[in-house]
């Protein structure tokens, strides 16, 4: 099995505000990427366990929310690994948009 795709996104919101924004914004983020479907989203405290589907492939991972950063870790099936760099950039960009101070 390949190494997981890991993305760390710094923020200055504090844990509670970051969690609130992620919980309310993840559905919109998934809708804005037409080839991505969020199959499962389970929250356990400050951790979200998820399963997504893209190009007929399933990827699973988790998001941990800390006081000053969010850490996403996902294991991609071999077909989606070819898109890992693009996925990492997209996750980082959309994460920053969700976690910007407003």
């Amino acid at each position: 099995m390949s190494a997981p795709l890991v993305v760390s996104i710094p923020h200055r919101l504090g844990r509670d505000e970051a969690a609130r924004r992620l919980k309310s914004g993840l559905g919109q983020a998934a809708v804005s990427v037409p080839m991505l479907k969020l199959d499962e989203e389970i929250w356990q405290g400050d951790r979200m366990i998820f399963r997504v589907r893209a190009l007929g492939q399933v990827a699973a991972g988790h998001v941990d929310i800390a006081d000053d950063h969010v850490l996403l870790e996902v294991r991609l099936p071999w077909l989606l690994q070819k898109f890992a760099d693009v996925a990492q950039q997209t996750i980082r960009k959309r994460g920053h948009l969700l976690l910007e101070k407003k």
Side-chain angles (χ1 to χ4, degrees):
M1 181 164 276
S2 66
L5 172 68
V6 178
V7 180
S8 181
I9 304 168
H11 66 80
R12 295 183 182 143
L13 300 171
R15 188 183 309 247
D16 292 339
E17 179 62 13
R20 185 191 70 74
R21 289 187 187 194
L22 287 175
K23 287 176 182 179
S24 67
L26 284 176
Q28 291 175 330
V31 168
S32 68
V33 181
M35 67 179 198
L36 184 69
K37 181 180 183 291
L38 183 62
D39 284 346
E40 183 176 58
E41 175 184 339
I42 300 169
W43 285 92
Q44 296 175 342
D46 293 325
R47 173 175 272 204
M48 179 189 70
I49 300 167
F50 65 90
R51 189 174 61 234
V52 294
R53 183 177 309 273
L55 301 173
Q57 302 291 305
V58 176
H62 63 270
V63 175
D64 290 315
I65 303 171
D67 290 331
D68 62 351
H69 70 280
V70 171
L71 185 71
L72 176 134
E73 184 174 318
V74 61
R75 292 217 176 255
L76 300 174
W78 70 270
L79 180 63
L80 295 180
Q81 288 174 9
K82 298 185 183 304
F83 303 101
D85 289 338
V86 172
Q88 189 174 38
Q89 292 171 11
T90 301
I91 291 166
R92 187 169 283 121
K93 180 180 176 185
R94 292 185 188 274
H96 280 295
L97 290 174
L98 281 172
L99 297 171
E100 282 181 345
K101 278 203 175 255
K102 295 178 184 171

